[in-house]
Amino acid sequence: FPLDITFKSTNPFGWPQIVVSVYGPDFFGNDVVRGYGAVHVPFTPGRHTRTIAMFVPDSTSRLQRFTSWFTGRRPEFTDPKVVAQGEGREATRVRSQGFVTICFNVV
């Protein structure tokens, strides 16, 4: 999906990130999260390719896993900022779920 964005900053601290949320149908046809990931937007001109490691929140017990599978309500983040920030995620249990490749053309 082409995006046209303009940023202006005096320092790269807190540089913008793209947060990717991938959704898809499960066995029952419910739309569930397939993965989350984030990457910093490059700031040097040129073509940049970034590979984002995707992850999904995981249930902490077998009972919760079975209940979420049975009801079709799997764990997911309510706020996309959680994916982009590192703080507060150390207590979150996640599982690796593939990769997404993004190509940036920076002018």
Side-chain angles (χ1 to χ4, degrees):
F1 301 103
L3 300 173
D4 185 12
I5 302 171
T6 304
F7 294 107
K8 184 177 181 182
S9 177
T10 56
N11 69 19
F13 179 76
W15 193 255
Q17 297 183 50
I18 289 185
V19 175
V20 179
S21 301
V22 179
Y23 290 85
D26 65 356
F27 183 74
F28 299 111
N30 298 321
D31 203 23
V32 296
V33 67
R34 294 294 184 185
Y36 294 109
V39 66
H40 286 278
V41 176
F43 56 89
T44 56
R47 184 180 180 97
H48 305 277
T49 303
R50 299 288 187 261
T51 301
I52 305 172
M54 304 297 284
F55 60 90
V56 292
D58 203 10
S59 299
T60 55
S61 71
R62 290 184 187 193
L63 178 62
Q64 285 178 338
R65 265 189 219 137
F66 176 73
T67 305
S68 66
W69 175 82
F70 187 71
T71 61
R73 303 269 315 164
R74 297 191 180 159
E76 61 181 82
F77 296 126
T78 56
D79 187 9
K81 291 180 184 177
V82 173
V83 178
Q85 297 172 346
E87 63 186 62
R89 277 191 25 209
E90 62 273 354
T92 307
R93 183 181 219 170
V94 295
R95 163 173 54 91
S96 181
Q97 194 70 18
F99 298 93
V100 170
T101 303
I102 293 183
C103 181
F104 295 98
N105 291 310
V106 180
V107 179

